[in-house]
Amino acid sequence: MNFRDVQRVWSAGYVPALVSGMLLGVSFPSYPFIRLEVLAWIALVPLLLASRNEREFRRFFLQVYLAMLVFCSVSIWWISLATLGGGLLTIVAQALFLAVPLLLFFLLMSLRGWRFALYALPFLWVGWEWAYIQQDLSFGWLTLGNSQALLTPMIQYADITGVWGISFWVVLFNVLVADLLAPGTGRSRQAALAVALAVMVTGSLLHGWMVLRQDDGHAAGRLVSICVVQPNIDPFSKWTRYNSWDLLDIPMRMTDAAVAQSRPDLVLWPETAIPFHILDERFRAYLDVLRERQEQWGAGLLSGFSHIEYTDPADIPGGRTGMYRYDERSGKYTMTYNASLFLPEPDAEPFVYRKMKLVPFAERVPFVEYFPWLERFTLSLAGIRSWGKGAEYTMMPLTTGSGETVRFMNMICYESIFPGLVAGFVQRGAEFLTLVTNDGWYAKSYGPYQHAAIGRLRCIENRRAMARCANTGLSMFIDRYGRSTADIEWWSRRTLTANLDCETPLTFYTRCPRLVPLLCLGGGAGAVLFAFLFRFRQQT
């Protein structure tokens, strides 16, 4: 390839698109020793600058899709370790969804010009991110604000704006840099843009410094002692190496050893630590053993488990039995849930939370309740498929060793990427957060580190501490500022006990979780409407 060929490819926008995709991908959290999140601040700049003279939609679409495809491939390739087909499908489909705000940018550029579209982009981007994550087909993992999850000194304003404000900040920074570097930008405008960029950085740092400085004078309130149990069981060989009793006995023995050292108020076991229907009558003996052991521990127990419900045919909404299994023994239809079981005391009625946000295609095919034939497209993980979808915000009351009652919520794995879900629990009175997960599907890739990093944002948004319990890692405690205070490394069989603060005040974001995205949605829609009206006036 000679110089003219290189120049032609660059001028066609494919090299800038490739660069933008790479910068976006490496800016997302990965291994702890790689900290490249600041690259997200300029990642869109090559693509935006290359778009200035682009007039052909087809070519622009290919440029944008290339950028998003590279972005997804670099940041979430590790999904393919669990399911190759599912990972490839996720990358290809997610790249298309991520391209939407940039395609709207091209529409505005065609109607009103490059700079008008440029400054509308932050509104288009955040409005689309929020609208996209609302529906079942979404995979909101790559919300742009998540790229900054570990930059805790700068993102403390998330308790006002949520992750949506962080996304807006990142896109706006890219927009200002692109405008600054665009040919033809006058010196006075460049100076103003440089000042604006400096204010964005210093303002975020100053705000973060002030918030974190308050921590020195933050009076410790009510504390709850929590023990997280990381059993380190390979999920791929779970049923070939172990039986039902083994899978219950391992965390019980680990808990025995942990409570002998300290007396926690709450013990956490990870997602599907009990992978059978322990509340079903057929497993009553297992439940009795667990309750006897819990009485010795003197602590509440929360564990991920598989929950089954029986339903009479007449009670199934609309007669849609496609998602149900028929149980000949009871003559009823059954639905299974990826759930968490909370036993406050050995003789107390259990609390069950059914996971509400399910991984598309891996845990449940979107819209399968309306079109049962879609179930054939399930991408099963070790036989896990077609979970029921929960609908209740289950609050869990815990009595501490001091006799006080505190309330908490539990997220299951993938749910930690949904800001509105967690805010909904905190609005209902959750004083601290718990998360149970099983990231063992992704071996020693950076997927588990990325997942853990994103969860920190939920702590900052709601000013709630979190206990995170994983099957193979990473298990950790996170404070109200999104900082890890103690952790267990991955692929190790260990327990860890620490205290968490219990909080009751609600942040501005918790009270108004939709405000920023709705403002952006309105701003983006307004920009599109204005551009169309402007073009209509020109034509008349």
Side-chain angles (χ1 to χ4, degrees):
M1 180 179 287
N2 58 36
F3 176 75
R4 287 188 176 181
D5 292 331
V6 173
Q7 191 177 37
R8 189 181 305 111
V9 172
W10 178 271
S11 62
Y14 295 111
V15 172
L18 181 63
V19 172
S20 285
M22 286 295 298
L23 292 176
L24 284 169
V26 299
S27 70
F28 263 66
S30 57
Y31 296 109
F33 53 87
I34 300 176
R35 298 294 302 273
L36 301 174
E37 53 264 50
V38 296
L39 294 180
W41 303 3
I42 58 169
L44 293 171
V45 173
L47 186 61
L48 293 175
L49 289 176
S51 71
R52 291 181 71 251
N53 300 315
E54 185 58 68
R55 296 294 180 266
E56 184 182 336
F57 175 79
R58 177 180 175 276
R59 190 163 59 185
F60 183 76
F61 170 78
L62 292 176
Q63 294 166 11
V64 170
Y65 188 73
L66 172 63
M68 297 302 112
L69 193 64
V70 172
F71 172 24
C72 294
S73 299
V74 173
S75 55
I76 56 173
W77 63 269
W78 43 266
I79 296 176
S80 300
L81 297 175
T83 163
L84 179 59
L88 294 176
L89 176 63
T90 299
I91 289 170
V92 170
Q94 183 69 8
L96 183 61
F97 287 122
L98 289 173
V100 170
L102 287 165
L103 299 181
L104 292 174
F105 163 83
F106 181 84
L107 172 65
L108 290 182
M109 183 173 65
S110 302
L111 293 172
R112 193 68 180 86
W114 182 76
R115 188 160 277 123
F116 177 87
L118 192 66
Y119 283 91
L121 183 59
F123 298 93
L124 297 171
W125 194 289
V126 176
W128 169 252
E129 278 189 336
W130 179 83
Y132 168 61
I133 206 173
Q134 303 308 309
Q135 44 84 36
D136 289 344
L137 195 60
S138 71
F139 182 74
W141 197 279
L142 295 182
T143 297
L144 192 55
N146 290 344
S147 66
Q148 308 298 295
L150 296 176
L151 205 59
T152 49
M154 288 190 69
I155 60 171
Q156 294 301 317
Y157 60 86
D159 66 345
I160 302 171
T161 68
V163 68
W164 314 114
I166 303 175
S167 287
F168 189 92
W169 189 100
V170 172
V171 180
L172 180 60
F173 199 94
N174 276 271
V175 163
L176 296 178
V177 173
D179 196 5
L180 176 69
L181 299 179
T185 302
R187 289 189 177 182
S188 59
R189 187 180 184 87
Q190 287 179 330
L193 290 168
V195 170
L197 290 168
V199 169
M200 288 182 68
V201 175
T202 56
S204 299
L205 284 170
L206 180 61
H207 177 266
W209 176 78
M210 292 174 63
V211 170
L212 295 176
R213 187 168 178 265
Q214 293 174 0
D215 185 42
D216 297 334
H218 177 66
R222 294 178 298 168
L223 298 176
V224 57
S225 177
I226 301 177
C227 172
V228 296
V229 177
Q230 183 171 295
N232 194 37
I233 297 173
D234 187 339
F236 289 103
S237 61
K238 197 169 190 175
W239 292 108
T240 56
R241 293 181 55 192
Y242 305 95
N243 57 38
S244 297
W245 173 250
D246 293 332
L247 295 172
L248 185 63
D249 189 50
I250 290 171
M252 283 198 304
R253 289 181 180 274
M254 294 178 68
T255 306
D256 287 340
V259 299
Q261 302 296 322
S262 60
R263 283 286 180 178
D265 300 312
L266 176 65
V267 175
L268 288 186
W269 292 358
E271 181 184 15
T272 61
I274 307 173
F276 51 88
H277 314 313
I278 195 170
L279 294 185
D280 191 60
E281 188 61 33
R282 289 174 294 176
F283 295 95
R284 181 60 183 267
Y286 290 88
L287 181 62
D288 289 342
V289 170
L290 183 60
R291 285 184 179 275
E292 289 174 6
R293 196 69 67 89
Q294 185 191 5
E295 188 172 10
Q296 298 173 19
W297 301 333
L301 172 67
L302 185 141
S303 175
F305 83 122
S306 176
H307 182 53
I308 188 169
E309 288 186 347
Y310 295 87
T311 307
D312 289 318
D315 296 331
I316 296 177
R320 294 191 294 265
T321 60
M323 276 289 293
Y324 291 79
R325 303 285 186 272
Y326 183 71
D327 180 54
E328 294 184 358
R329 182 177 60 88
S330 64
K332 296 182 178 182
Y333 283 91
T334 64
M335 177 73 76
T336 56
Y337 296 86
N338 188 353
S340 53
L341 168 68
F342 174 53
L343 299 173
E345 298 173 358
D347 57 349
E349 190 70 20
F351 290 81
V352 175
Y353 169 66
R354 301 160 189 82
K355 188 176 182 182
M356 293 196 282
K357 299 293 185 180
L358 301 168
V359 181
F361 297 98
E363 291 184 313
R364 180 186 177 91
V365 178
F367 315 118
V368 70
E369 62 271 30
Y370 304 107
F371 308 103
W373 53 269
L374 289 173
E375 188 177 355
R376 71 187 67 176
F377 298 106
T378 299
L379 301 169
S380 175
L381 292 178
I384 299 173
R385 65 209 262 299
S386 299
W387 292 110
K389 184 179 180 182
E392 297 179 6
Y393 287 82
T394 304
M395 299 300 302
M396 301 175 180
L398 172 70
T399 302
T400 66
S402 62
E404 293 184 286
T405 298
V406 296
R407 305 175 76 202
F408 70 101
M409 60 84 68
N410 180 241
M411 292 168 274
I412 301 177
C413 190
Y414 173 70
E415 291 186 314
S416 63
I417 72 168
F418 293 90
L421 176 72
V422 180
F425 275 103
V426 178
Q427 287 173 352
R428 289 164 172 80
E431 299 174 59
F432 66 93
L433 314 177
T434 62
L435 169 66
V436 296
T437 186
N438 180 12
D439 293 333
W441 307 108
Y442 310 112
K444 290 192 174 182
S445 70
Y446 51 70
Y449 283 108
Q450 198 173 89
H451 187 198
I454 293 172
R456 297 174 186 236
L457 289 168
R458 308 293 83 83
C459 298
I460 301 172
E461 289 168 340
N462 301 282
R463 294 301 178 203
R464 294 292 188 269
M466 179 194 294
R468 185 182 199 271
C469 183
N471 170 40
T472 54
L474 302 157
S475 297
M476 62 176 59
F477 291 89
I478 305 170
D479 71 10
R480 63 202 299 267
Y481 303 103
R483 302 172 299 191
S484 173
T485 57
D487 61 74
I488 305 174
E489 65 275 10
W490 59 6
W491 296 93
S492 64
R493 182 170 289 181
R494 281 186 52 200
T495 63
L496 181 64
T497 302
N499 291 329
L500 281 189
D501 281 319
C502 299
E503 306 280 353
T504 54
L506 300 182
T507 65
F508 181 82
Y509 169 75
T510 305
R511 293 194 299 268
C512 308
R514 298 182 178 183
L515 180 61
V516 170
L518 286 178
L519 287 175
C520 289
L521 200 61
V528 172
L529 179 61
F530 177 82
F532 271 110
L533 290 175
F534 179 83
R535 174 58 62 90
F536 177 76
R537 286 186 177 180
Q538 279 191 326
Q539 292 176 345
T540 57

